[in-house]
């Protein structure tokens, strides 16, 4: 299963190990880990709650991975995204791409993250000393995704 | 009957996670559905006014203004996504 949505944390080393297991064609793995920051828009973030749209989320992520596979010659890819309540320093997302060489793995990994940030149905809500607030989408994320 | 789903901030401002509605015959696309809901006034008019950033999925696929909406569909309304 190349995409997972889960509350639990994930072990990056173990996930990368499984991604490459038994396939000696793989000469490179590029990975990205997104983390919860303790400050956003000049406010202290105490906790962050991640909501998603069950039913659509896995489908949207799988489509993004499929799109990456169709554009680049990669061997395999993995996306894990957490939901529920997270704290600063917690891991949010892992995107990893295995390929024969680094070039396509790097590019496909960045593509997956740019598309995930603009197309996968997740929403962040931050709990700060001033109260709760939904994180606003960034125009720069749209611009990054539109490059591809 | 169409099943409407409201997510994230829209669920909060509409005060409900969703509802089942019977659409009038002239409401057959995403654009006409949003206009029809906006005629309820209040938060609906404010959030669904033209130019507001509302995203829509029909049966779990991202939809556009002209995407058809039919009886039996699940139509989700949500703000621009902020995952990752």
């Amino acid at each position: 299963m190349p995409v997972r949505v889960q509350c639990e944390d994930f072990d990056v080393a173990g996930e990368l190990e499984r991604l490459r297991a038994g396939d000696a064609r793989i000469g490179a793995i590029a990975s990205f880990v997104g983390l919860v920051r303790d400050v956003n828009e000049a406010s202290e973030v105490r906790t962050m709650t991640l909501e998603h749209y069950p039913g659509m989320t896995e489908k949207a992520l799988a489509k993004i991975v499929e799109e990456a596979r169709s554009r680049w010659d990669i061997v395999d890819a993995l996306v894990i995204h957490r939901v529920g309540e997270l704290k600063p320093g917690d891991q949010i997302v892992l995107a990893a791409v295995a390929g024969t060489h680094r070039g396509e793995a790097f590019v496909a990994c960045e593509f997956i993250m740019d598309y995930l940030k603009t197309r996968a149905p997740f929403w962040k809500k931050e709990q700060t000393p001033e109260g709760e607030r939904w994180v606003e989408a960034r125009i720069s994320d749209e611009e990054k995704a539109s490059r591809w | 009957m169409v099943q409407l789903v409201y997510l994230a901030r829209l669920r909060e401002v509409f005060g409900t996670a969703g509802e089942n509605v019977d659409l009038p015959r002239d409401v057959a696309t995403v654009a006409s559905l949003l206009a029809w809901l906006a005629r309820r006034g209040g938060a609906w008019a404010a959030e669904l006014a033209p130019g507001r950033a509302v995203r829509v999925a029909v049966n779990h696929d991202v939809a556009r203004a002209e995407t058809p909406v039919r009886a039996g569909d699940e139509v989700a309304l949500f703000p621009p996504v902020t995952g990752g």
Side-chain angles (χ1 to χ4, degrees):
Chain A
M1 184 66 180
V3 306
R4 298 202 318 259
V5 178
Q6 62 189 43
C7 294
E8 313 81 64
D9 198 9
F10 48 82
D11 169 43
V12 175
E15 296 298 340
L16 298 187
E17 187 62 38
R18 273 190 288 283
L19 183 64
R20 57 172 284 197
D23 197 331
R25 284 177 302 164
I26 295 169
I29 293 179
S31 66
F32 171 88
V33 179
L35 307 168
V36 180
R37 281 176 294 133
D38 63 353
V39 172
N40 189 30
E41 308 278 336
S43 278
E44 176 197 343
V45 176
R46 289 182 171 160
T47 56
M48 172 183 281
T49 310
L50 261 147
E51 176 178 334
H52 76 124
Y53 179 16
M56 179 174 175
T57 318
E58 291 85 351
K59 193 174 168 183
L61 292 175
K63 267 172 99 167
I64 293 168
V65 169
E66 269 318 298
E67 180 77 26
R69 282 175 174 284
S70 73
R71 292 188 187 211
W72 294 281
D73 183 19
I74 59 178
V75 175
D76 207 353
L78 169 71
V79 178
I80 302 173
H81 203 299
R82 294 178 68 193
V83 293
E85 190 169 301
L86 302 176
K87 300 183 302 297
D90 282 353
Q91 303 185 122
I92 306 173
V93 61
L94 169 66
V97 176
T100 52
H101 299 286
R102 72 180 186 285
E104 303 227 301
F106 270 132
V107 174
C109 189
E110 188 169 21
F111 166 86
I112 286 172
M113 280 310 304
D114 284 352
Y115 264 40
L116 184 153
K117 289 196 80 90
T118 52
R119 298 181 182 207
F122 294 100
W123 300 273
K124 287 175 181 154
K125 188 186 220 182
E126 295 171 338
Q127 288 79 39
T128 74
E130 297 82 42
E132 287 196 321
R133 62 184 189 191
W134 289 99
V135 173
E136 296 277 335
R138 292 168 188 266
I139 291 169
S140 61
D141 285 336
E142 276 301 335
E143 289 167 353
K144 280 182 191 147
S146 65
R147 294 180 295 164
W148 299 101
Chain B
M1 189 124 80
V2 165
Q3 187 188 351
L4 298 177
V5 177
Y6 309 125
L7 294 152
R9 198 180 58 79
L10 288 185
R11 180 188 62 249
E12 292 183 348
V13 297
F14 294 157
T16 175
E19 59 185 308
N20 292 320
V21 293
D22 286 312
L23 299 181
R25 209 160 345 137
D26 60 338
V27 176
T29 63
V30 165
S32 57
L33 171 65
L34 296 185
W36 180 69
L37 289 171
R39 288 205 287 275
R40 290 173 170 179
W44 301 88
E47 295 293 335
L48 305 179
R52 290 301 305 266
V54 178
R55 303 287 187 262
V56 180
V58 175
N59 300 326
H60 303 143
D61 280 319
V62 174
R64 296 165 177 275
E66 65 276 13
T67 301
V69 174
R70 302 185 184 89
D73 285 346
E74 177 174 318
V75 182
L77 276 58
F78 47 83
V81 301
T82 55

